[in-house]
Amino acid sequence: MTVLVIGGSGFLGTELIRQAARAGHATAATYATRPGPTSHASWYPLDLRDPRRVDAVMAEVGADLVVNASSGKADWAVTAQGPVRLAMAAAKYGSRLIHVSTDAVFSGTRVQYDESCLPDPVTPYGAAKAAAETGILLVHPQAVVARTSLIIGNGRSEHERVVHELAAGTRDGVLFTDDIRCPVHVADLAAALLELASSGDAAGVHHLAGPDAVSRHELGILIARRDGLDPSRLPTGLRTHSALPGALDVRLDSRATQRKLRTTLRGAHQFCTTPA
């Protein structure tokens, strides 16, 4: 099988390449600014805003599976429209498509969200991701939209770097005690995405998040203890007292998808018990 990872130089993309190559798949990957550090993939520059380039890369790679792990933040052309262009090309060339989405498509009004819940985003980023989900499933009904939450992994994620910098006193800021998510380990997430890809009947929306709902401060404490840092050095605050937009408490219910998987989506209390 030939696997194409869109956004292969990112945190999740790097892990997807590692696991796909380890499984013996021919692997290609795209980048927006520069290739990733791994030599386990053939690299292609790609701007998802350019439909001709999207088509050219798809035609050249001839991928059986395309995993979109790219991140364009709130840029509508990249985050909303780009994935739909990619889905159209995947449908044209007969490629299976897995699109990684986010819990930011929800407002937090109902707290618990399973796959049947309709998006109700409250930020431009969430709106762009929600639009991408809708467009992808319209043009490529066999695609998988996989929503996830905070992605953590052995000291290499953005949140882990923030915890280390706060504990060292080299960064200003706080960890919110009222901002709650269901973190997932990057290795579990990548494995689950590739497993969904191998399932012939997986299509539509799936949730891939850990079972533990924790605040960003609680997660910071778990990371600090795992890495031998002093948790008391992590400053706390309330997101409700900040100017940051977005939902406070969003808990992805991944039980329906977990029942279909051999891969276990570990909770933060489990995957933070071993040293990074």
Side-chain angles (χ1 to χ4, degrees), residues 56-72:
V57 171
M58 290 292 296
E60 184 172 347
V61 175
D64 302 292
L65 167 66
V66 179
V67 184
N68 182 23
S70 64
S71 175

Side-chain angles (χ1 to χ4, degrees), residues 175-238:
L175 294 178
F176 297 126
T177 58
D178 59 346
D179 186 334
I180 298 172
R181 297 294 187 271
C182 295
V184 66
H185 195 281
V186 66
D188 299 344
L189 177 57
L193 290 168
L194 292 173
E195 187 178 341
L196 282 175
S198 68
S199 173
D201 58 353
V205 177
H206 292 73
H207 284 183
L208 296 175
D212 297 342
V214 296
S215 72
R216 290 181 185 262
H217 182 252
E218 289 175 295
L219 179 59
I221 290 174
L222 291 172
I223 292 168
R225 289 174 176 166
R226 180 198 67 187
D227 297 347
L229 307 175
D230 182 358
S232 69
R233 293 184 58 83
L234 300 177
T236 64
L238 293 173

